[in-house]
Short mmCIF file of all heavy atoms in Angstrom, two decimals:
data_model
loop_
_atom_site.label_atom_id
_atom_site.label_comp_id
_atom_site.label_asym_id
_atom_site.label_seq_id
_atom_site.Cartn_x
_atom_site.Cartn_y
_atom_site.Cartn_z
N SER B 51 174.94 344.41 151.18
CA SER B 51 176.24 344.24 151.84
C SER B 51 177.05 345.53 151.81
O SER B 51 178.24 345.53 151.45
CB SER B 51 177.04 343.10 151.17
OG SER B 51 176.41 341.87 151.41
N GLU B 52 176.40 346.60 152.15
CA GLU B 52 177.02 347.93 152.30
C GLU B 52 177.48 348.55 150.99
O GLU B 52 178.18 349.57 151.00
CB GLU B 52 178.19 347.87 153.30
CG GLU B 52 177.79 347.35 154.67
CD GLU B 52 178.97 347.22 155.61
OE1 GLU B 52 179.58 348.26 155.94
OE2 GLU B 52 179.30 346.07 155.99
N THR B 53 177.10 347.96 149.87
CA THR B 53 177.53 348.46 148.57
C THR B 53 176.31 348.86 147.75
O THR B 53 175.30 348.14 147.74
CB THR B 53 178.32 347.38 147.81
OG1 THR B 53 179.46 347.01 148.58
CG2 THR B 53 178.78 347.89 146.45
N GLN B 54 176.41 349.99 147.08
CA GLN B 54 175.32 350.39 146.20
C GLN B 54 175.35 349.51 144.95
O GLN B 54 176.34 349.49 144.21
CB GLN B 54 175.47 351.86 145.79
CG GLN B 54 174.25 352.39 145.05
CD GLN B 54 174.39 353.85 144.67
OE1 GLN B 54 174.94 354.20 143.63
NE2 GLN B 54 173.90 354.72 145.53
N ARG B 55 174.25 348.85 144.71
CA ARG B 55 174.22 347.85 143.64
C ARG B 55 173.53 348.38 142.38
O ARG B 55 173.81 347.97 141.27
CB ARG B 55 173.49 346.62 144.16
CG ARG B 55 173.56 345.41 143.28
CD ARG B 55 172.98 344.20 143.96
NE ARG B 55 172.90 343.08 143.03
CZ ARG B 55 171.93 342.90 142.17
NH1 ARG B 55 170.94 343.76 142.12
NH2 ARG B 55 171.94 341.87 141.34
N ASN B 56 172.58 349.27 142.59
CA ASN B 56 171.82 349.83 141.48
C ASN B 56 171.46 351.26 141.83
O ASN B 56 171.26 351.57 143.02
CB ASN B 56 170.53 349.06 141.24
CG ASN B 56 170.63 348.10 140.07
OD1 ASN B 56 171.20 348.42 139.04
ND2 ASN B 56 170.07 346.92 140.24
N LYS B 57 171.33 352.09 140.82
CA LYS B 57 170.98 353.49 141.08
C LYS B 57 169.98 353.96 140.03
O LYS B 57 170.10 353.62 138.85
CB LYS B 57 172.25 354.36 141.02
CG LYS B 57 172.07 355.78 141.48
CD LYS B 57 173.40 356.52 141.47
CE LYS B 57 173.31 357.89 142.13
NZ LYS B 57 172.26 358.75 141.57
N GLY B 58 169.01 354.71 140.47
CA GLY B 58 168.02 355.27 139.56
C GLY B 58 168.49 356.60 138.99
O GLY B 58 169.63 357.02 139.20
N ASN B 59 167.59 357.25 138.27
CA ASN B 59 167.94 358.49 137.59
C ASN B 59 167.61 359.71 138.43
O ASN B 59 166.73 360.50 138.10
CB ASN B 59 167.20 358.56 136.25
CG ASN B 59 167.59 357.42 135.33
OD1 ASN B 59 168.74 357.01 135.29
ND2 ASN B 59 166.61 356.88 134.62
N PHE B 60 168.29 359.87 139.51
CA PHE B 60 168.12 361.01 140.39
C PHE B 60 169.43 361.79 140.47
O PHE B 60 170.50 361.22 140.31
CB PHE B 60 167.67 360.56 141.79
CG PHE B 60 166.21 360.25 141.88
CD1 PHE B 60 165.72 359.03 141.46
CD2 PHE B 60 165.32 361.18 142.38
CE1 PHE B 60 164.37 358.74 141.53
CE2 PHE B 60 163.97 360.91 142.47
CZ PHE B 60 163.48 359.69 142.03
N PRO B 61 169.33 363.10 140.74
CA PRO B 61 170.56 363.90 140.83
C PRO B 61 171.42 363.49 142.02
O PRO B 61 170.97 362.79 142.93
CB PRO B 61 170.04 365.33 140.98
CG PRO B 61 168.64 365.20 141.45
CD PRO B 61 168.12 363.92 140.90
N GLY B 62 172.65 363.96 141.99
CA GLY B 62 173.62 363.60 143.02
C GLY B 62 173.25 364.10 144.41
O GLY B 62 173.86 363.69 145.40
N ARG B 63 172.24 364.98 144.49
CA ARG B 63 171.79 365.45 145.81
C ARG B 63 171.21 364.30 146.63
O ARG B 63 171.11 364.39 147.84
CB ARG B 63 170.71 366.53 145.65
CG ARG B 63 171.14 367.76 144.91
CD ARG B 63 170.05 368.82 144.91
NE ARG B 63 168.83 368.40 144.23
CZ ARG B 63 167.70 368.09 144.86
NH1 ARG B 63 167.61 368.16 146.18
NH2 ARG B 63 166.62 367.73 144.16
N PHE B 64 170.82 363.25 145.94
CA PHE B 64 170.25 362.07 146.61
C PHE B 64 171.38 361.05 146.80
O PHE B 64 172.02 360.64 145.83
CB PHE B 64 169.14 361.46 145.77
CG PHE B 64 167.91 362.32 145.68
CD1 PHE B 64 167.84 363.38 144.79
CD2 PHE B 64 166.81 362.06 146.49
CE1 PHE B 64 166.71 364.18 144.71
CE2 PHE B 64 165.66 362.85 146.41
CZ PHE B 64 165.62 363.91 145.53
N SER B 65 171.60 360.67 148.01
CA SER B 65 172.64 359.69 148.28
C SER B 65 172.17 358.75 149.38
O SER B 65 171.19 359.02 150.07
CB SER B 65 173.95 360.37 148.70
OG SER B 65 173.75 361.10 149.91
N GLY B 66 172.89 357.67 149.53
CA GLY B 66 172.50 356.72 150.56
C GLY B 66 173.70 355.94 151.04
O GLY B 66 174.82 356.07 150.51
N ARG B 67 173.46 355.14 152.04
CA ARG B 67 174.48 354.23 152.51
C ARG B 67 173.83 353.11 153.30
O ARG B 67 172.68 353.23 153.73
CB ARG B 67 175.51 354.95 153.37
CG ARG B 67 174.96 355.64 154.62
CD ARG B 67 176.10 356.27 155.40
NE ARG B 67 175.61 357.03 156.56
CZ ARG B 67 176.41 357.48 157.52
NH1 ARG B 67 177.71 357.26 157.46
NH2 ARG B 67 175.91 358.17 158.53
N GLN B 68 174.60 352.04 153.47
CA GLN B 68 174.10 350.92 154.26
C GLN B 68 175.18 350.52 155.27
O GLN B 68 176.38 350.52 154.94
CB GLN B 68 173.77 349.72 153.36
CG GLN B 68 173.11 348.57 154.11
CD GLN B 68 172.79 347.39 153.21
OE1 GLN B 68 173.51 347.13 152.24
NE2 GLN B 68 171.70 346.70 153.51
N PHE B 69 174.74 350.20 156.43
CA PHE B 69 175.66 349.85 157.51
C PHE B 69 175.81 348.32 157.61
O PHE B 69 175.07 347.57 156.97
CB PHE B 69 175.15 350.43 158.83
CG PHE B 69 174.98 351.93 158.79
CD1 PHE B 69 173.74 352.49 158.51
CD2 PHE B 69 176.06 352.77 159.02
CE1 PHE B 69 173.57 353.87 158.46
CE2 PHE B 69 175.90 354.15 158.97
CZ PHE B 69 174.66 354.69 158.68
N SER B 70 176.76 347.92 158.42
CA SER B 70 177.07 346.48 158.52
C SER B 70 175.89 345.67 159.08
O SER B 70 175.79 344.47 158.85
CB SER B 70 178.31 346.26 159.38
OG SER B 70 178.12 346.80 160.67
N ASN B 71 174.99 346.33 159.79
CA ASN B 71 173.82 345.61 160.31
C ASN B 71 172.64 345.68 159.33
O ASN B 71 171.51 345.36 159.69
CB ASN B 71 173.40 346.18 161.67
CG ASN B 71 173.00 347.65 161.59
OD1 ASN B 71 173.07 348.27 160.52
ND2 ASN B 71 172.60 348.22 162.71
N SER B 72 172.91 346.12 158.10
CA SER B 72 171.95 346.23 157.00
C SER B 72 171.03 347.44 157.09
O SER B 72 170.30 347.70 156.15
CB SER B 72 171.12 344.95 156.82
OG SER B 72 171.95 343.88 156.46
N ARG B 73 171.05 348.14 158.18
CA ARG B 73 170.26 349.38 158.26
C ARG B 73 170.77 350.36 157.22
O ARG B 73 171.95 350.34 156.86
CB ARG B 73 170.38 349.99 159.66
CG ARG B 73 169.42 351.14 159.93
CD ARG B 73 169.54 351.64 161.37
NE ARG B 73 170.81 352.32 161.59
CZ ARG B 73 171.03 353.62 161.32
NH1 ARG B 73 170.05 354.35 160.80
NH2 ARG B 73 172.20 354.16 161.57
N SER B 74 169.86 351.17 156.70
CA SER B 74 170.24 352.07 155.63
C SER B 74 169.74 353.49 155.91
O SER B 74 168.75 353.68 156.63
CB SER B 74 169.67 351.58 154.29
OG SER B 74 169.97 352.46 153.23
N GLU B 75 170.45 354.43 155.38
CA GLU B 75 170.03 355.83 155.45
C GLU B 75 170.09 356.41 154.04
O GLU B 75 170.92 356.00 153.22
CB GLU B 75 170.98 356.65 156.34
CG GLU B 75 170.86 356.34 157.81
CD GLU B 75 171.79 357.21 158.65
OE1 GLU B 75 172.70 357.86 158.09
OE2 GLU B 75 171.61 357.22 159.88
N MET B 76 169.19 357.34 153.78
CA MET B 76 169.32 358.12 152.56
C MET B 76 169.35 359.60 152.94
O MET B 76 168.74 360.01 153.93
CB MET B 76 168.21 357.84 151.55
CG MET B 76 166.83 358.26 151.92
SD MET B 76 165.75 358.35 150.46
CE MET B 76 166.28 359.90 149.73
N ASN B 77 170.08 360.35 152.18
CA ASN B 77 170.27 361.76 152.45
C ASN B 77 169.89 362.56 151.20
O ASN B 77 170.21 362.16 150.08
CB ASN B 77 171.72 362.03 152.82
CG ASN B 77 171.96 363.47 153.21
OD1 ASN B 77 171.63 363.90 154.30
ND2 ASN B 77 172.52 364.24 152.30
N VAL B 78 169.21 363.65 151.42
CA VAL B 78 168.93 364.58 150.32
C VAL B 78 169.48 365.94 150.74
O VAL B 78 169.10 366.46 151.79
CB VAL B 78 167.43 364.69 150.01
CG1 VAL B 78 167.22 365.52 148.74
CG2 VAL B 78 166.80 363.32 149.87
N SER B 79 170.38 366.47 149.95
CA SER B 79 170.96 367.78 150.27
C SER B 79 170.29 368.86 149.43
O SER B 79 169.65 368.57 148.41
CB SER B 79 172.46 367.76 150.01
OG SER B 79 172.71 367.50 148.64
N THR B 80 170.43 370.08 149.87
CA THR B 80 169.90 371.24 149.15
C THR B 80 168.48 370.97 148.66
O THR B 80 168.18 370.93 147.46
CB THR B 80 170.80 371.62 147.96
OG1 THR B 80 172.18 371.48 148.32
CG2 THR B 80 170.56 373.05 147.55
N LEU B 81 167.60 370.76 149.60
CA LEU B 81 166.23 370.38 149.29
C LEU B 81 165.53 371.38 148.38
O LEU B 81 165.71 372.60 148.51
CB LEU B 81 165.43 370.22 150.58
CG LEU B 81 165.69 368.93 151.36
CD1 LEU B 81 165.15 369.05 152.78
CD2 LEU B 81 165.09 367.74 150.64
N GLU B 82 164.73 370.82 147.47
CA GLU B 82 163.90 371.61 146.56
C GLU B 82 162.43 371.27 146.83
O GLU B 82 162.12 370.21 147.37
CB GLU B 82 164.27 371.29 145.11
CG GLU B 82 165.71 371.58 144.77
CD GLU B 82 166.07 371.18 143.34
OE1 GLU B 82 165.16 370.67 142.63
OE2 GLU B 82 167.23 371.38 142.94
#
Side-chain angles (χ1 to χ4, degrees):
Chain B
S51 293
E52 303 176 65
T53 301
Q54 189 179 86
R55 190 172 173 278
N56 258 319
K57 189 176 189 305
N59 298 323
F60 280 81
R63 299 185 298 108
F64 291 81
S65 63
R67 60 178 176 168
Q68 186 180 32
F69 302 96
S70 58
N71 62 358
S72 296
R73 190 177 70 85
S74 178
E75 289 182 346
M76 67 162 283
N77 184 77
V78 188
S79 61
T80 320
L81 283 165
E82 301 177 0

